[in-house]
Amino acid sequence: MSHINNIYQLKNIGLSLWQALNLDRIPTELIIKYNAKDNLPWECLYHPSLGFIAKHIDYTLYRRISVASNPLPIGPLKILLFTIHQTSQRQIHLDIDIETQQIRSALTPFINAGMVDFYAPIAGYFSTLTELLAKKIWHLVIISGHGLLKNEQTSLVFSNEIGKTKLVTGNDLAKIFNNSKVRCVVLATCKSGQLVTDNLIDPLIKIGIPNIIGMREALIDRAAKVFIQALCINLAQQKPINLAVQAGRCAMTNLLSPNEIWDTIDDCLAEQWSLPILFSSEPRLINWNFKPDTTNRILKTKIFIGRKQELQTLIKKLQTKKIQRLLIKGIAGIGKTALAEQLTVNLVQDGYQILTTEVKNLEVNQIIILTSRDISLPNFYIYNLQRPNFHDFSRYIHYLGLAYEFPQILRIYQILGGNFRAVQLLQNLPICLDVKGLNKQLTIVQRYLQAELRK
């Protein structure tokens, strides 16, 4: 089916599908029997009085698949959020680190209550996914990134360590998910739910994955983030997958920022709610009757942007025990504390315990991470933190909502040396786009920053 750009066309298609069902009344749980050749957009179903069923919180809609049933695993709910690594040109369009942190932050109460285990690896290669599926049991695996539909074949677009593109097919996925005991796979990528000749869904059904979520058409980044977050929160609240997906669809109906209107953005944003397709045989993912373990608690941290290479390098050294005492050094405002916090979050994900009190008769992974402007300590691995690259710095400015354009951002980066604390000071001043006014403001910020450095 070609891409639908008009909501009225969507309504007409939905009415035709309703007429094809020929039902006297609509059940609250609408189940469409799965047919591998049925590529109709049932998620656009439109009821004459209720409207679009996929936008109605009191109803659910999914496609019933036939998969051998197995006993429900005992909780906690183990979630793997895997973001595919892309080449640098395409990575610009995905605020991957921000998305991951916002989802983790939303799940923090459930994580600290011992009801959810959440892991989001920094590396996003196919080899990484393969290794993670082999070494640990996951209940919910979410794969976020770019998808491709070409010549009747859907695939996921990966890049390897040297930047070479790898198209991963449904059969490739089936090989690494086989015998993994995963209860639900979410393919948050463009066109991943298309039932073309060589699709991503059928091979996962054949190996017995009881729940699969794919996307009918092109998925916009902000819609993917909203859907994934709503899905995870509702599952953490112990709802079945069909209710969680419906909550995700409803969340996708509100994608506009306060300053946006439909006429100023892509029309396809208005129909994103209709994209998630749920293929299900057993909507329950786990048995929630268990005693939670609250040992590994995490703290909510501020949004951390960039420094992916630093994170990968330092985490690898810490995990392999090449270093156990780390001292991050750098000037004030460069991001030392933020990096230390992000390292801590990732280490907790990997099972390392953060010691806050004296521990007796307990063997733990003891890692110490400190930060300093100029002090050195013996027996510590010294990591001299440099200023962030321009791309990460500009993303931080946009994240703060500062309406500077490229020339001004470049000027700010050059004058302030990529200093995050300086940007926070600049945030308190009115936006100034002319060169003379901006230079005056940067001089004021530099004086404040120098005063802080002398403290």
Side-chain angles (χ1 to χ4, degrees):
M1 186 185 71
S2 62
H3 183 70
I4 304 168
N5 288 317
N6 191 296
I7 198 68
Y8 296 105
Q9 289 180 311
L10 205 65
K11 177 180 176 180
N12 290 335
I13 292 173
L15 277 171
S16 298
L17 291 171
W18 169 250
Q19 292 165 0
L21 285 178
N22 194 28
L23 297 176
D24 294 329
R25 64 180 183 84
I26 188 163
T28 55
E29 185 179 70
L30 184 59
I31 301 172
I32 306 296
K33 187 176 181 180
Y34 174 70
N35 181 339
K37 296 181 180 180
D38 182 1
N39 210 17
L40 292 174
W42 289 105
E43 290 65 31
C44 303
L45 189 68
Y46 188 91
H47 187 272
S49 58
L50 295 173
F52 290 108
I53 298 304
K55 296 171 67 174
H56 206 299
I57 196 63
D58 295 327
Y59 292 82
T60 66
L61 186 154
Y62 65 94
R63 309 187 189 200
R64 172 75 74 180
I65 58 176
S66 179
V67 170
S69 61
N70 291 298
L72 291 177
I74 303 296
L77 178 64
K78 298 175 182 178
I79 302 175
L80 171 62
L81 175 59
F82 187 90
T83 304
I84 299 173
H85 175 81
Q86 309 291 339
T87 58
S88 58
Q89 290 80 7
R90 301 187 74 174
Q91 199 78 15
I92 292 173
H93 304 292
L94 291 173
D95 283 325
I96 290 169
D97 39 10
I98 296 176
E99 171 190 321
T100 299
Q101 291 168 75
Q102 289 175 334
I103 293 171
R104 183 193 291 117
S105 179
L107 289 174
T108 295
F110 304 99
I111 297 170
N112 289 341
M115 304 304 289
V116 170
D117 285 345
F118 177 83
Y119 185 64
I122 297 173
Y125 306 114
F126 188 66
S127 59
T128 311
L129 179 60
T130 302
E131 181 182 349
L132 288 169
L133 292 174
K135 75 177 186 180
K136 186 176 179 180
I137 292 177
W138 307 97
H139 302 136
L140 174 65
V141 176
I142 303 167
I143 302 177
S144 177
H146 291 288
L148 180 67
L149 169 58
K150 186 177 181 181
N151 299 328
E152 285 293 299
Q153 181 185 66
T154 50
S155 55
L156 305 180
V157 183
F158 278 78
S159 293
N160 62 17
E161 291 83 346
I162 60 174
K164 185 177 180 181
T165 298
K166 175 181 175 61
L167 298 183
V168 173
T169 66
N171 289 330
D172 294 328
L173 286 179
K175 289 177 182 177
I176 64 172
F177 274 96
N178 195 24
N179 299 319
S180 65
K181 299 184 180 180
V182 170
R183 298 287 300 165
C184 180
V185 176
V186 181
L187 302 174
T189 65
C190 296
K191 304 181 185 294
S192 55
Q194 286 271 358
L195 297 178
V196 292
T197 303
D198 187 0
N199 62 67
L200 295 165
I201 307 300
D202 283 334
L204 294 176
I205 295 176
K206 290 177 182 177
I207 63 169
I209 303 294
N211 296 282
I212 307 160
I213 301 171
M215 301 294 160
R216 179 172 53 84
E217 293 288 351
L219 181 67
I220 296 173
D221 294 342
R222 73 169 86 178
K225 180 180 71 174
V226 167
F227 176 77
I228 292 171
Q229 183 164 314
L231 178 77
C232 288
I233 290 174
N234 279 268
L235 289 174
Q237 292 172 339
Q238 305 183 26
K239 294 179 183 177
I241 191 70
N242 58 322
L243 291 180
V245 168
Q246 192 74 352
R249 290 172 180 146
C250 291
M252 294 169 82
T253 63
N254 186 24
L255 298 176
L256 295 182
S257 300
N259 61 335
E260 291 179 318
I261 58 175
W262 290 120
D263 291 342
T264 62
I265 57 176
D266 194 335
D267 286 342
C268 66
L269 192 64
E271 65 183 55
Q272 291 286 293
W273 55 267
S274 69
L275 302 191
I277 304 173
L278 170 61
F279 306 87
S280 177
S281 66
E282 169 51 78
R284 296 173 300 167
L285 295 193
I286 65 169
N287 181 346
W288 290 96
N289 186 22
F290 69 98
K291 183 179 180 180
D293 178 5
T294 59
T295 303
N296 286 343
R297 297 175 63 85
I298 64 172
L299 298 175
K300 286 194 174 183
T301 59
K302 296 178 181 178
I303 289 295
F304 182 86
I305 295 176
R307 297 211 184 271
K308 194 167 185 177
Q309 189 59 51
E310 287 98 326
L311 281 170
Q312 287 181 322
T313 299
L314 292 174
I315 286 177
K316 186 175 181 180
K317 288 180 180 293
L318 292 165
Q319 289 174 333
T320 57
K321 297 186 178 181
K322 289 184 178 179
I323 57 174
Q324 285 191 286
R325 296 185 176 190
L326 171 64
L327 178 62
I328 303 172
K329 294 184 63 176
I331 64 172
I334 205 70
K336 302 182 300 296
T337 302
L339 178 60
E341 289 178 348
Q342 195 64 20
L343 286 169
T344 301
V345 168
N346 281 274
L347 290 169
V348 169
Q349 287 184 152
D350 285 336
Y352 291 84
Q353 293 184 352
I354 307 302
L355 301 181
T356 55
T357 59
E358 183 181 3
V359 179
K360 297 180 180 179
N361 301 320
L362 178 62
E363 185 176 335
V364 296
N365 294 308
Q366 293 181 306
I367 291 177
I368 301 173
I369 303 175
L370 301 177
T371 66
S372 172
R373 297 180 188 178
D374 49 24
I375 297 175
S376 295
L377 296 172
N379 302 320
F380 271 77
Y381 177 85
I382 308 297
Y383 188 83
N384 293 304
L385 191 62
Q386 305 300 316
R387 71 178 184 178
N389 63 47
F390 175 71
H391 173 58
D392 290 340
F393 184 78
S394 62
R395 287 176 60 215
Y396 182 69
I397 286 181
H398 288 305
Y399 171 75
L400 293 177
L402 302 178
Y404 291 109
E405 298 175 356
F406 176 82
Q408 289 80 34
I409 296 175
L410 182 60
R411 181 67 176 167
I412 294 168
Y413 179 74
Q414 292 170 335
I415 297 299
L416 300 181
N419 192 288
F420 295 118
R421 175 60 184 144
V423 174
Q424 292 168 1
L425 293 170
L426 185 64
Q427 189 180 15
N428 297 321
L429 301 175
I431 295 292
C432 187
L433 299 181
D434 68 276
V435 176
K436 185 177 180 179
L438 180 59
N439 285 340
K440 185 177 180 179
Q441 289 183 338
L442 293 177
T443 300
I444 295 172
V445 169
Q446 283 181 307
R447 289 174 182 170
Y448 273 103
L449 195 62
Q450 290 168 358
E452 285 198 357
L453 288 172
R454 288 194 291 267
K455 292 179 181 180

